[in-house]
Amino acid sequence: MAYNVTLIPGDGIGPEVVAAAVRVLSATGVEFQWQTEVAGAGAIGEHGTALPDRVLESVRKNKVALKGPTETPVGTGHRSVNVELRKRLDLYANLRPVQTLPGVKSRYDGVDLIVVRENTEDLYSGLEHVVVPGVVESLKIITEKASTRIARYAFDYARTHGRKRITAVHKANIMKLSDGLFLDCCRAVAKGYPEVTYDEMIVDNTCMQLVLDPTRFDMLLLENLYGDIVSDLCAGFIGGLGMAPGANIGDEAALFEAVHGSAPDIAGKNLANPMALILSGALMLDHMGEHEAADRVRNAVHAVLREGQKLTRDLGGSAGTTEIAEAIAAKV
Ligand code: NAI
């Protein structure tokens, strides 16, 4: 039986890394029926919107999507496709594993972190208005419902994946009500998982502690904004954005994409590192229960990294996106 998957190539390097991931996933022997949908800056000309309804319908129907990065204009204009997708499909859990990869030069060794980020509210609610000229208010929304379910997702993940410790990251010393509510929910959920150690850390201190020694953490549980910033910071421990996979998971659907953006500076040049999206594809296989195929994809990426012959420029090599995809597919 083939899996129906919505494929969103996206903007910039998106189509290049998505094609690479499709090449590698197809090599696993798992059968896919890809349904390609256009979203992002590239969709605006044809559809008048960066997120046509048919994209949402497709993901709702297939329940799984693989997505390239999409561009969001800064300041004015269209709302972020990512924020809209996550909110409208209620993909409330953003999962970002950060693991040291063999052969990748980094100042850090032995990093094995799981970042769990709340994906639907906080300052990303998009509720901003001009109070009077020169004064803007941006609303940070934190609810008991969303905080409890993201905490439950993180603790369930810890239980099923043998993780030992969850650190909730916050700024409740300043945002006593909003981050205070987030912590109350985390504490309440933690009581149901006595086998998982639970602790809390203020976000600025967390950043410093991470940079000093990321191996002292196991899982981080964060609201949306802190999660966005801290997960990019964590990508720096494992060789940069080209290596960091991600997943957006809800009760009805799941969408897999790399942490990185559309990298307009290298788009269309066959320079993009496709490994982050290929590893996101492995997370997708895990989500489908195809664990053996997922492991083969990860092992193939590790083997190519270990050999060190086929690496993109960001990893100090000179190979192109398509070459890397072929090398990984051959190992799969
Ligand atoms: P970016 O992640 O696109 O690029 C940051 C730096 O990392 C650039 O120097 C880029 O060349 C490099 N880089 C990123 N991915 C790479 C890869 N796979 N291989 C090699 N180098 C890579 O972040 P930036 O410049 O802040 O954002 C560009 C656009 O992407 C913006 O429109 C932003 O809104 C969008 N974006 C989309 C995301 C998504 O769709 N999930 C996530 C983050 C940003």
Side-chain angles (χ1 to χ4, degrees), residues 211-288:
V211 170
L212 285 177
D213 181 10
T215 63
R216 52 170 300 212
F217 293 93
D218 188 3
M219 284 182 69
L220 301 177
L221 170 57
L222 313 95
E223 293 167 6
N224 207 342
L225 175 66
Y226 308 146
D228 195 0
I229 297 167
V230 170
S231 56
D232 264 37
L233 184 145
C234 290
F237 300 143
I238 56 161
L241 286 170
M243 309 304 299
N248 300 284
I249 295 174
D251 293 333
E252 303 298 328
L255 183 145
F256 298 83
E257 65 178 340
V259 173
H260 65 72
S262 59
D265 50 335
I266 56 168
K269 296 180 181 159
N270 200 31
L271 288 175
N273 183 349
M275 288 181 175
L277 195 66
I278 291 169
L279 293 170
S280 306
L283 292 176
M284 182 179 86
L285 288 168
D286 274 330
H287 177 79
M288 293 164 159

Side-chain angles (χ1 to χ4, degrees), residues 13 17 67-74 80-82 86 96 228 232 241-243 257-266 271-277 312-314:
I13 60 170
V17 293
K67 175 182 169 295
T70 42
E71 259 168 51
T72 308
V74 175
S80 159
V81 168
N82 297 314
R86 292 166 190 173
R96 294 178 165 183
D228 195 0
D232 264 37
L241 286 170
M243 309 304 299
E257 65 178 340
V259 173
H260 65 72
S262 59
D265 50 335
I266 56 168
L271 288 175
N273 183 349
M275 288 181 175
L277 195 66
T312 38
R313 202 175 61 176
D314 56 313

Side-chain angles (χ1 to χ4, degrees), residues 179-239:
D179 285 11
L181 174 60
F182 179 74
L183 288 184
D184 285 345
C185 298
C186 294
R187 288 172 195 159
V189 171
K191 288 202 176 87
Y193 299 78
E195 76 277 25
V196 182
T197 304
Y198 170 74
D199 58 10
E200 297 166 356
M201 198 177 278
I202 292 175
V203 62
D204 35 355
N205 181 30
T206 309
C207 290
M208 184 200 64
Q209 300 289 348
L210 277 166
V211 170
L212 285 177
D213 181 10
T215 63
R216 52 170 300 212
F217 293 93
D218 188 3
M219 284 182 69
L220 301 177
L221 170 57
L222 313 95
E223 293 167 6
N224 207 342
L225 175 66
Y226 308 146
D228 195 0
I229 297 167
V230 170
S231 56
D232 264 37
L233 184 145
C234 290
F237 300 143
I238 56 161

Side-chain angles (χ1 to χ4, degrees), residues 11 37 41 76 79 88 91 100 132 139 141 168-169 172 183 192 222 241 244 271 277 284 289 311 315:
D11 303 310
E37 294 293 344
T76 55
R79 292 182 66 176
R88 291 181 59 187
L91 306 172
T100 295
V132 290
L139 300 181
I141 308 292
V169 179
L183 288 184
L222 313 95
L241 286 170
L271 288 175
L277 195 66
M284 182 179 86
L311 300 176
L315 297 181

